Amino acid sequence: MVFETVAQMIAKQLKMDVSEITPDKRLVEDLKADSANVMVLIMDLEDAFNMTVDDAAINTLRTVGDVVKYIEERQE
């Protein structure tokens, strides 16, 4: 559930097909997200999941899987 939502949000933000989004894809290196894309994505995730992403955590979210794990750990 979380992965599907995150994948759809990334695909929309980066204007790509959702089938290209997999947990091991790196946001910047593989999906070509720039810093502005990442910041908008973080804000969208915060709204969608009703949470706040710690500023210190943003630099640790390198892959799609990292983002999903971060959200899942805070939803428990």
Side-chain angles (χ1 to χ4, degrees):
M1 163 73 181
V2 172
F3 171 75
E4 289 79 8
T5 302
V6 170
Q8 289 174 357
M9 294 174 80
I10 292 171
K12 181 179 177 185
Q13 172 68 24
L14 300 179
K15 296 175 178 49
M16 61 192 329
D17 192 277
V18 71
S19 66
E20 297 179 58
I21 314 292
T22 58
D24 62 324
K25 294 281 184 161
R26 296 170 297 176
L27 296 171
V28 176
E29 295 88 343
D30 300 327
L31 300 178
K32 308 299 183 214
D34 61 22
S35 58
N37 294 135
V38 173
M39 291 313 298
V40 170
L41 177 64
I42 295 295
M43 290 186 293
D44 289 347
L45 291 169
E46 289 176 331
D47 289 342
F49 292 98
N50 195 28
M51 62 182 291
T52 301
V53 177
D54 299 324
D55 289 342
I58 292 172
N59 293 329
T60 68
L61 304 176
R62 301 250 182 254
T63 67
V64 175
D66 292 342
V67 174
V68 171
K69 182 179 176 189
Y70 182 87
I71 293 167
E72 287 176 341
E73 287 175 347
R74 277 141 192 87
Q75 284 188 324
E76 296 172 357

